[in-house]
Amino acid sequence: MKTLEEYPQYMTGPIDRRTFLATAAIGLTGCVASQASPSLNEENVQQANFELVTLPYDQWPSSNPDRQYYSPEEVSELPDLKMYRGESGATHALQTSRQLNLVAQSIRHADSTGVFEDAADRLTDAYVETATGFKNALFFPYEFEFNVHGNPAHKLPSPWYSGMAQGLSLGTFARLYHLTGRDRYAQLAERTYKSITDVRLPTSNSPWVSTIDDEGYFWIEEYPMQKPAHTLNGKIFAIYGLYEYWRATGRDDVAVTTREAMTTVRDHLPEFRKEGGVSRYCLTHDVTAEGYHQIHVRQFRQLDEMTAGTAFGEWADRYQSDFWTSKE
């Protein structure tokens, strides 16, 4: 596991959620909305009062495909890490965590789990070795430069960290804990969860993937930029990980964090929507893509299954109607 001393760009101090909101209250980032509901940590973060539905394991949102994905021979030959475009040393956090998630699914369905649990241990060892530890949180890196939307003006220097990858990693460790009962995976899930709940100002030089805006909305950023992009699909994939961690632990504080993240999405769906057209990929850049519009629709339907009283299903219908209107 790496330390911050190896990455001098991440050497200034963090700001925790309480300090962040105290700063916002005195006007450095704007006032927090007065109608925001406090979380279990007595922080003024927007949180709607809706129910999380306790879906069975095979309906957890990252369960696709819910089958034994690898054979025993295949799982033994998996690479420890997935690399960006196959380049040596260019660890791709999202693809690595997805591979580990598929191993977890294979543990669930295999007649004999030993070889799959051994593979999960091996892949986890390698994945954790790449991580940056900060304030007892684990951040899994993308070890390559990346231009958001292909624009060099929005370059993320290596290493960078993504809320989407952190969320999927959280869900994967939660699944492995649920399936094996091993404390190792519980501890890794908790340290990954801390990377999401320990928010930062977007201008922070410390590792961060989450922030709170001046209206008290909790954003998990797929691309942590000084001017947050607020990418929709990446935020929702991160929510899947929060939900799965809540299902694995039943903890009230995790339920609160999950509702806070879902509230942010629900309350901003009118802004992501282009009525009669294809939805925005993110709020900061005027970028649309039909493929991601369809991902949004599927994600809203998944969120609707995970909650009661949120109207995500109605938003899915609206966005789907917009898509077909755009084809007329």
Side-chain angles (χ1 to χ4, degrees), residues 19-321:
T19 304
F20 184 101
L21 287 160
T23 303
I26 62 175
L28 293 182
T29 60
C31 295
V32 175
S34 60
Q35 295 182 348
S37 301
S39 74
L40 293 182
N41 296 320
E42 299 180 357
E43 298 151 356
N44 292 325
V45 181
Q46 297 277 7
Q47 180 192 168
N49 184 23
F50 55 81
E51 177 187 354
L52 295 180
V53 175
T54 54
L55 296 175
Y57 180 88
D58 62 356
Q59 295 178 32
W60 288 14
S62 298
S63 292
N64 186 29
D66 185 29
R67 60 181 175 83
Q68 182 177 328
Y69 193 79
Y70 298 114
S71 69
E73 294 75 21
E74 289 171 334
V75 80
S76 298
E77 296 176 359
L78 291 176
D80 289 349
L81 302 167
K82 300 288 281 187
M83 300 295 168
Y84 179 62
R85 296 178 177 175
E87 298 175 8
S88 177
T91 305
H92 195 299
L94 184 63
Q95 291 181 7
T96 299
S97 58
R98 278 179 170 163
Q99 176 177 257
L100 188 55
N101 187 284
L102 293 172
V103 174
Q105 293 298 82
S106 297
I107 290 173
R108 166 173 159 76
H109 289 282
D111 293 331
S112 178
T113 63
V115 65
F116 296 99
E117 292 191 34
D118 289 346
D121 271 334
R122 172 174 61 84
L123 270 57
T124 298
D125 287 343
Y127 194 33
V128 172
E129 185 64 26
T130 70
T132 300
F134 183 65
K135 288 187 65 180
N136 204 36
L138 288 179
F139 291 83
F140 296 97
Y142 290 77
E143 295 182 308
F144 52 88
E145 293 182 346
F146 185 74
N147 297 329
V148 179
H149 304 310
N151 188 340
H154 306 314
K155 178 177 290 186
L156 294 170
S158 175
W160 57 281
Y161 311 95
S162 168
M164 180 176 172
Q166 293 298 118
L168 181 56
S169 299
L170 171 60
T172 297
F173 292 137
R175 285 171 174 272
L176 287 167
Y177 172 62
H178 175 82
L179 292 167
T180 69
R182 293 178 57 190
D183 287 343
R184 176 193 196 192
Y185 294 119
Q187 293 169 10
L188 289 171
E190 178 61 16
R191 295 186 69 184
T192 308
Y193 176 65
K194 287 183 182 298
S195 74
I196 296 172
T197 58
D198 190 12
V199 301
R200 304 280 192 274
L201 290 167
T203 54
S204 174
N205 286 326
S206 302
W208 70 278
V209 296
S210 303
T211 192
I212 300 173
D213 69 17
D214 58 4
E215 294 181 337
Y217 284 105
F218 173 47
W219 292 95
I220 305 169
E221 294 295 325
E222 181 174 352
Y223 307 111
M225 305 161 67
Q226 287 197 1
K227 184 176 182 181
H230 297 335
T231 303
L232 182 55
N233 84 94
K235 168 68 182 286
I236 297 176
F237 281 125
I239 289 173
Y240 291 177
L242 289 173
Y243 175 89
E244 294 184 354
Y245 191 41
W246 169 68
R247 285 292 290 113
T249 63
R251 282 169 36 188
D252 288 344
D253 63 317
V254 180
V256 169
T257 303
T258 305
R259 281 196 295 268
E260 289 170 345
M262 289 179 172
T263 299
T264 298
V265 171
R266 188 200 65 175
D267 289 1
H268 289 83
L269 290 183
E271 296 174 52
F272 284 103
R273 185 186 185 195
K274 286 192 171 184
E275 189 170 354
V278 176
S279 56
R280 292 176 174 84
Y281 178 81
C282 66
L283 291 184
T284 298
H285 312 112
D286 192 20
V287 173
T288 62
E290 289 187 358
Y292 279 102
H293 183 93
Q294 295 296 346
I295 289 173
H296 294 162
V297 171
R298 292 194 295 271
Q299 288 180 319
F300 300 162
R301 298 203 189 284
Q302 180 66 70
L303 290 174
D304 195 58
E305 293 180 5
M306 296 156 58
T307 59
T310 56
F312 280 118
E314 296 174 16
W315 279 106
D317 292 340
R318 293 189 189 104
Y319 273 54
Q320 189 64 60
S321 177

Side-chain angles (χ1 to χ4, degrees), residues 3-8 11:
T3 63
L4 289 184
E5 285 73 13
E6 298 177 59
Y7 298 136
M11 285 299 293

